[in-house]
Structure formats: structure tokens, C-alpha cells
Amino acid sequence: MDVKIEPSWKAALQEEFDKPYFADATAYVKNEIASGHTVYPPGKLIFNAFEKTPFDKVKVVILGQDPYHGLGQAQGLCFSVPHGVKAPPSLVNIFKEIETDLGIAPPNHGNLERWAEQGVFLLNAILTVRANTPASHSGIGWQTFTDAVIRKVSDEKTGVVFLLWGNFARAKRELINTEKHFVLEAAHPSPLARGAFSGCKHFSKTNALLQKQGLEPIDWTL
């Protein structure tokens, strides 16, 4: 299948695009739209994480579950919302942790593109969702694809820092070669975790791991 995606990712993932499950997943999404359902994010943003962070630029991976399902929220980057959209509670807690950890004041928006452009791959395990119906596309094949993406990063790169927040993300640890990558685990930043994310210091720890390898740290300022 000819998929419109950033060239370095296209080269890395072409064998996945040619597998039946991928055709099934994309057909499912097209059928949802044809049936009158609204699907988020918009089609041009489904692979936005890949566009913003080319394969050769990936230094950090943050793994989310599925896109925000409210109007105007999803932009194909996990935890991120476009300018002008109120930051959801999980993102607010991420910003609070950055302030505690690094002294960076929370921004007045929730757009994380600046992180992505520095090499923070903001990947949702499920790439689409039906409007107002969380996890509605969880069984259509996207996780087979994104598991393959994680394995590809693990197999072909070294020294990547994986941030796994919450049980869903932590279950992906088995896809990562921890002999040559770094895995930091914490509770999910959702308020439902009752503050368990607070104090993880993943942002300073990530930068320390990058600098130890002689890499430029992430400027978490937005």
C-alpha cells in the first residue's frame, strides 16, 4: 500500500504497509467516515507524529493510548492539543510535573509540536477514534502497527529514552530491547491516578540520559 507518510518512516515501515491488517485498519476508518461517523484526528493528521519526528531524529518516545475524542482536540500527537484548545487534565498534570522537576512554568497552550520537532516521538498506540467514543478503534489493527513501530525503533536505533506512563504503556516494555535503550516508567498523568505521576522527574532524567550519550537535551519549554 502506498501510504502518505514522512519518507524515512515510509522506508522503515514499508513491509507493515503491505500487510493485510494495515489495509483492514485503513478500510475500517474509511468505512466509519463513509457511514457518517466523525473520526479524529482528521485524515491528514493521522500520521502527524511521524511527520513531526522523522525516524532518524527519534531520541525520546512518549506512548499514549488513543487520540482525544472531543471536537478539535486530536492532532495526531499523544497528549497534545492544538493552540486555542484547552489543555486536558492529563496534560495539565504533565506541565505541573515539568514545573516541579525543571522549574519551567506551564505554558498557556497545549501544543507539543515543539517537543516533537526536537526528537520526542509522541505516539498513540491507537491512531484514530470515533468522536465521543474513547477506545472505539482499539481493535481494528492499529496496535499491531504501532507495536511494529516500537520494535523498529528498538531494533534499529540505540540509546532512545522510552517514557511509559500507566499500565497500558508499561505493557509495551516487552517490545523494547532494554540492553540498548532506556525505559522510564511511571503512573499515568491522569487525575484518576490520584497524583501518582507527580514526582517521577522523567523530564530531568530523560535529559540526563541524553546528555550522558553526548546528545542535545530536550528543551521542555513550550
Side-chain angles (χ1 to χ4, degrees), residues 4-166:
K4 293 180 180 178
I5 195 170
E6 191 278 329
S8 67
W9 281 109
K10 187 166 188 173
L13 299 170
Q14 187 58 57
E15 62 183 31
E16 298 303 316
F17 299 143
D18 292 336
K19 292 179 179 178
Y21 82 82
F22 191 86
D24 291 345
T26 55
Y28 187 97
V29 173
K30 289 176 181 176
N31 185 63
E32 284 270 85
I33 296 168
S35 300
H37 296 293
T38 299
V39 172
Y40 298 133
K44 65 181 181 179
L45 295 178
I46 291 173
F47 297 112
N48 197 26
F50 301 84
E51 298 295 334
K52 291 288 187 289
T53 314
F55 183 72
D56 58 320
K57 302 294 186 185
V58 174
K59 299 194 292 188
V60 180
V61 176
I62 298 178
L63 187 68
Q65 189 162 346
D66 68 337
Y68 295 124
H69 52 86
L71 177 65
Q73 291 181 307
Q75 61 174 157
L77 305 172
C78 73
F79 294 105
S80 182
V81 292
H83 285 278
V85 176
K86 182 180 178 181
S90 292
L91 185 54
V92 170
N93 284 340
I94 289 169
F95 291 151
K96 286 179 180 177
E97 178 59 23
I98 291 173
E99 182 172 29
T100 301
D101 188 12
L102 296 170
I104 297 170
N108 60 3
H109 64 87
N111 191 321
L112 307 183
E113 288 180 329
R114 189 167 183 270
W115 294 358
E117 290 162 358
Q118 296 178 75
V120 182
F121 186 40
L122 298 168
L123 179 66
N124 274 317
I126 304 157
L127 297 181
T128 57
V129 67
R130 184 189 290 187
N132 306 313
T133 316
S136 48
H137 289 182
S138 62
I140 72 171
W142 285 137
Q143 288 193 70
T144 303
F145 174 64
T146 55
D147 282 358
V149 171
I150 295 167
R151 285 194 196 94
K152 180 65 71 170
V153 172
S154 177
D155 291 348
E156 297 196 11
K157 299 181 75 70
T158 57
V160 174
V161 183
F162 289 84
L163 304 184
L164 307 181
W165 300 337

Side-chain angles (χ1 to χ4, degrees), residues 148-211:
V149 171
I150 295 167
R151 285 194 196 94
K152 180 65 71 170
V153 172
S154 177
D155 291 348
E156 297 196 11
K157 299 181 75 70
T158 57
V160 174
V161 183
F162 289 84
L163 304 184
L164 307 181
W165 300 337
N167 291 337
F168 178 89
R170 293 166 93 160
K172 304 294 183 179
R173 183 186 178 102
E174 65 183 23
L175 305 173
I176 303 162
N177 182 345
T178 55
E179 298 285 315
K180 60 172 185 165
H181 297 289
F182 306 98
V183 176
L184 300 179
E185 299 183 32
H188 197 279
S190 166
L192 297 176
R194 302 190 179 193
F197 179 75
S198 178
C200 69
K201 298 187 180 298
H202 277 191
F203 306 95
S204 61
K205 289 177 180 178
T206 292
N207 280 350
L209 291 168
L210 293 175
Q211 289 175 299

